[in-house]
Amino acid sequence: MTRESAERADTRRTLYARRPPAAVQLAAAGREALRKLDPRVLHHNPVLFVVATGAALTTALWLTALAGRESETPASFIGGIAFWLWLTVIFGNLAEALAEGRGRAHAESLRRTRAQTTALRLREPRTDAARDEVAAGDLRRDDVVIVEAGGIIPADGEVVEGAAAVDESAITGESAPVIREAGGDRSAVTGGTRVLSDRLVVRITAPAGEGFLDRMIRLVEGARRQKTPNEIALGILLAALTIIFLLVSATLVPYSGFVARAGGQGGAVDLTVIVALLVCLMPTTIGGLLSAIGIAGMDRLLRANVVATSGRAVEAAGDVGVLLLDKTGTITLGDRQATAFVPAPGVAARDLAQAAQLASLADETPEGRSVVVLAKEQFGLRARELSPGDAVFVPFSAQTRMSGIDVDGHALRKGAADAIAVFLAERGGTLPAEIRAGIARVAKLGATPLVVADGARALGMVVLKDVVKGGLQLEFEEMRRLGIRTVMITGDNPLTAAAIAAEAGVDDFIAEAKPETKLAEIRRWQQVGHLVAMTGDGTNDAPALAQADVAVVMNSGTQAAKEAGNMVDLDSNPTKLLAIVGIGKRLLMTRGALTTFSIASDIAKYFAIIPAAFAANCPELGALDLMRLGSPQSAILSAVIFNALIIVALVPVALRGVSYRPAASAVLLRRHLLVYGLGGLILPFPCIKLIDLLLGFLGVGGVA
């Protein structure tokens, strides 16, 4: 490990893995579990609310039994049932509290980062404007502040002037500073990060309390967590099942009384037994673990250095079929730089460089600025000071894909080959064959040619080069094994796009794409039934990111892109989607596996508690007592104890998630039906029998 990587690892451990000792975590979770017994909190989980109501009812019955109320049911048995029902509720709350507690240390670290700072607010968006010192919490959207070297950026915003190195380790865990500058796709800054050099003029884009850091804190704490559609649907199903079993249990009291009178033996089933039967009939296990599974899934995503603003996106990631990737900044490093001027026949290289420089004055992208720098380095050309009265500037845009200037009777333009070809055609000119051949040669090398024109005349090309990020081919190969199709979308010409696509290892590419092209491609895949994921970082990606089912935005991207996406990759690594897909699949599989286990284990509990509940009225039901339990009371209490303890046993599975290996869905389904379906059906039998033997040995709970 290099010194730099070791420093990054230390930073990440400090920020993301700093946790109290296990005993302290458990104690804190225990206190939170008791706090969640508040009915105002508990009613959000219908299953546990019903169990708590049953626990309260049996507690009241136990107290009346202790007070001398005559009953055929021993007070010790009633008290045992009440005790374990309360533990069932507490264990369910404990699972959720442990999941929430995993992010609290991280949240505290982020809160320290978000400590109140003062800001220098400019009265006008100019560096020489008058300044007012205000608290960071008093800033509003569209306020403009200046941040000097060593200062803390007070709130989320966009750099409107300047360029500086920024320390974002408090957010990303990376110790290496990043460059943030006005224009282009690296203008977004996050509140709480520190400017290390120079100074920045920032326009505030998020009001106090709604910034990226604030949302991150709420997410890691589990606060304001919105349940996903699947989680809501499962919750509704569990609530419906609870109501059904509640109605069934309520009818058993008069039904058992009728059977007793008709058969001349036994009597109505005791209310304590009815409550125990109801709790064991309900899917209590998954009801107690459901919330913890969702929170733990978000925590695993955060540990991958990805912040999700939507739990729905995490689930959707598990079923993604198509991945669209923006080329610049996503597949490539994104720092395309001008490397050469290639003049057309009869054009001097210096004249081409001067025209390209002038045409780039209105291009605020890093590529445009690199043209100005190259002209200065190769020919000593310096940018002319031009006022709006001397020239008409044509700013670069993603729609036109060119920039330019009208000055001294010349209409100078620089941009993509097809855009310049249209510009020339409108003025009666064409691209010379020599330039077309040069475009093909440059594109085959994986570089990007920009054509420079003066009115109806093509002057030559500017060559831009970018570098594909390392390790992408292996990552894309893994995605193919998962059945995910990768498509690169770029504004480059087809030859350049083909060269980059081949080097990166994507399945397909779309060249000469405009923002609306990306949007149309996403809709096309969605219309044929695929869930589509997209990664991007630029403002021009925002419409497509908003349309995608899973929209992963690079942390280095613009504020507009971050607002359109539903996930932010703090590492700005496009291949992170592979980890996101794995996390999404683990979340879905964990919920499905534990739901299967819960329902399967209920079947075993029926064989324990139903024969016991009706033993006096229907001795024939004793044939269902496959476990040959000690007594009816012992059988009922054993089932209730198992029902409580299994929640505790499954908490690590809910928090960690079930194991996941890339495989076909049918294979995964068979595996989990075998492990969690058959396992859930078989495991309760020996466990309940063992608890029954232990109760008989100890002589507790009214079963002596």
Side-chain angles (χ1 to χ4, degrees):
M1 181 180 289
T2 65
R3 181 177 178 180
E4 183 180 353
S5 61
E7 290 177 353
R8 287 199 300 267
D10 289 341
T11 303
R12 193 179 298 275
R13 281 193 294 269
T14 300
L15 292 167
Y16 292 88
R18 183 188 294 162
R19 292 185 183 176
V24 177
Q25 291 185 65
L26 188 59
R31 291 190 297 270
E32 182 67 14
L34 294 175
R35 188 191 68 80
K36 289 178 179 290
L37 291 175
D38 186 339
R40 293 170 297 181
V41 178
L42 203 58
H43 83 276
H44 294 291
N45 190 325
V47 175
L48 290 185
F49 184 79
V50 171
V51 178
T53 303
L57 179 59
T58 52
T59 301
L61 294 174
W62 175 63
L63 292 175
T64 59
L66 291 179
R69 181 183 70 90
E70 292 185 5
S71 174
E72 296 181 359
T73 307
S76 59
F77 173 73
I78 301 174
I81 294 293
F83 175 77
W84 283 101
L85 290 184
W86 281 120
L87 283 184
T88 301
V89 180
I90 292 172
F91 290 159
N93 289 340
L94 184 67
E96 183 177 26
L98 282 171
E100 293 174 346
R102 291 161 72 95
R104 287 204 174 93
H106 186 193
E108 287 302 316
S109 176
L110 293 174
R111 281 199 178 89
R112 289 192 292 271
T113 300
R114 196 193 55 176
Q116 286 295 321
T117 60
T118 58
L120 294 177
R121 184 171 59 191
L122 301 177
R123 296 179 183 178
E124 298 178 15
R126 298 182 289 103
T127 55
D128 58 348
R131 308 174 182 182
D132 298 319
E133 188 171 308
V134 299
D138 294 335
L139 293 173
R140 297 293 180 264
R141 189 185 297 271
D142 293 328
D143 282 349
V144 179
V145 300
I146 186 169
V147 187
E148 306 282 354
I152 301 293
I153 297 173
D156 293 6
E158 293 272 358
V159 179
V160 295
E161 184 179 329
V166 178
D167 178 12
E168 296 185 345
S169 60
I171 306 295
T172 66
E174 293 289 343
S175 59
V178 296
I179 302 298
R180 292 289 179 259
E181 55 189 349
D185 295 341
R186 299 174 185 260
S187 60
V189 291
T190 303
T193 57
R194 184 181 297 274
V195 176
L196 300 179
S197 67
D198 303 294
R199 65 182 179 184
L200 297 174
V201 178
V202 179
R203 176 177 286 109
I204 304 302
T205 58
E210 296 298 326
F212 180 73
L213 203 59
D214 299 287
R215 297 198 304 271
M216 199 170 171
I217 290 171
R218 291 196 293 268
L219 284 166
V220 300
E221 285 186 321
R224 299 189 189 181
R225 187 183 73 92
Q226 293 184 344
K227 294 183 178 180
T228 66
N230 286 343
E231 190 175 351
I232 293 172
L234 183 55
I236 293 172
L237 176 61
L238 296 180
L241 290 175
T242 300
I243 294 172
I244 292 171
F245 290 130
L246 186 62
L247 294 174
V248 170
S249 300
T251 62
L252 289 178
V253 176
Y255 176 74
S256 62
F258 170 79
V259 172
R261 288 191 299 272
Q265 57 182 346
V269 179
D270 188 80
L271 189 55
T272 301
V273 176
I274 292 293
V275 172
L277 177 63
L278 170 63
V279 171
C280 291
L281 283 173
M282 295 190 309
T284 317
T285 304
I286 185 62
L289 297 173
L290 184 59
S291 182
I293 294 170
I295 297 173
M298 299 290 284
D299 180 73
R300 285 193 293 274
L301 193 70
L302 185 64
R303 292 185 181 282
N305 240 20
V306 178
V307 178
T309 58
S310 166
R312 180 178 182 178
V314 184
E315 287 188 347
D319 291 324
V320 161
V322 180
L323 168 61
L324 303 184
L325 303 106
D326 182 53
K327 182 188 74 99
T328 305
T330 304
I331 289 178
T332 64
L333 293 176
D335 293 325
R336 292 192 304 180
Q337 301 292 312
T339 58
F341 296 106
V342 183
V347 178
R350 183 181 179 86
D351 294 339
L352 170 63
Q354 188 168 26
Q357 182 195 60
L358 289 170
S360 300
L361 295 178
D363 186 355
E364 293 296 326
T365 65
E367 292 87 349
R369 288 193 289 271
S370 75
V371 174
V372 176
V373 172
L374 184 64
K376 179 182 177 181
E377 291 177 349
Q378 290 194 354
F379 301 101
L381 300 173
R382 297 184 177 274
R384 292 168 55 183
E385 294 290 337
L386 297 171
S387 65
D390 300 327
V392 177
F393 293 96
V394 181
F396 174 84
S397 72
Q399 284 73 30
T400 63
R401 294 184 299 132
M402 65 178 176
S403 64
I405 188 173
D406 296 335
V407 61
D408 299 335
H410 295 272
L412 302 175
R413 298 291 187 273
K414 177 219 68 192
D418 60 319
I420 297 298
V422 172
F423 175 81
L424 293 172
E426 291 173 349
R427 288 154 180 78
T430 60
L431 278 178
E434 294 84 358
I435 292 182
R436 292 184 183 275
I439 291 172
R441 286 194 306 271
V442 171
K444 286 181 179 178
L445 297 174
T448 302
L450 299 179
V451 180
V452 181
D454 182 359
R457 182 189 181 197
L459 301 180
M461 297 182 301
V462 181
V463 179
L464 301 179
K465 284 189 177 180
D466 200 353
V467 180
V468 174
K469 294 181 178 180
L472 282 182
Q473 284 190 333
L474 294 176
E475 299 285 354
F476 290 148
E477 180 62 33
E478 183 73 9
M479 290 182 188
R480 271 189 289 275
R481 285 197 291 270
L482 292 173
I484 300 173
R485 183 175 181 83
T486 54
V487 181
M488 182 187 76
I489 300 183
T490 177
D492 290 336
N493 65 75
L495 288 174
T496 301
I500 297 294
E503 184 178 353
V506 296
D507 296 318
D508 199 2
F509 68 90
I510 299 175
E512 297 178 345
K514 297 181 178 180
E516 53 267 27
T517 308
K518 302 176 184 179
L519 189 61
E521 182 70 7
I522 292 174
R523 287 173 175 169
R524 183 176 73 84
W525 284 106
Q526 288 174 335
Q527 286 171 359
V528 297
H530 289 283
L531 292 181
V532 180
M534 178 178 174
T535 61
D537 60 355
T539 301
N540 63 318
D541 297 326
L545 289 167
Q547 179 67 33
D549 300 287
V550 181
V552 184
V553 184
M554 304 296 104
N555 189 50
S556 58
T558 62
Q559 195 67 31
K562 289 181 179 178
E563 291 176 358
N566 45 37
M567 292 188 188
V568 178
D569 176 18
L570 302 178
D571 295 328
S572 299
N573 178 6
T575 62
K576 186 66 67 65
L577 185 74
L578 186 63
I580 295 172
V581 168
I583 291 169
K585 287 185 179 294
R586 287 184 71 180
L587 174 62
L588 295 174
M589 290 164 56
T590 301
R591 186 183 298 140
L594 294 186
T595 301
T596 302
F597 183 94
S598 178
I599 295 172
S601 66
D602 285 344
I603 297 174
K605 286 180 286 185
Y606 300 162
F607 283 95
I609 201 168
I610 290 179
F614 298 95
N617 296 342
C618 301
E620 294 82 2
L621 289 176
L624 297 178
D625 185 14
L626 304 180
M627 290 173 276
R628 296 293 183 260
L629 301 176
S631 69
Q633 292 176 355
S634 173
I636 295 169
L637 187 55
S638 297
V640 172
I641 293 174
F642 172 81
N643 195 61
L645 294 180
I646 196 62
I647 295 177
V648 179
L650 292 177
V651 166
V653 179
L655 298 182
R656 185 178 59 252
V658 300
S659 59
Y660 164 72
R661 292 186 298 273
S665 299
V667 175
L668 293 174
L669 180 60
R670 286 196 300 269
R671 182 189 304 159
H672 286 92
L673 283 177
L674 180 65
V675 175
Y676 294 95
L678 188 59
L681 188 62
I682 295 175
L683 181 65
F685 284 92
C687 291
I688 292 175
K689 180 64 176 178
L690 183 62
I691 295 172
D692 175 75
L693 293 174
L694 185 61
L695 290 176
F697 176 77
L698 298 175
V700 298
V703 298

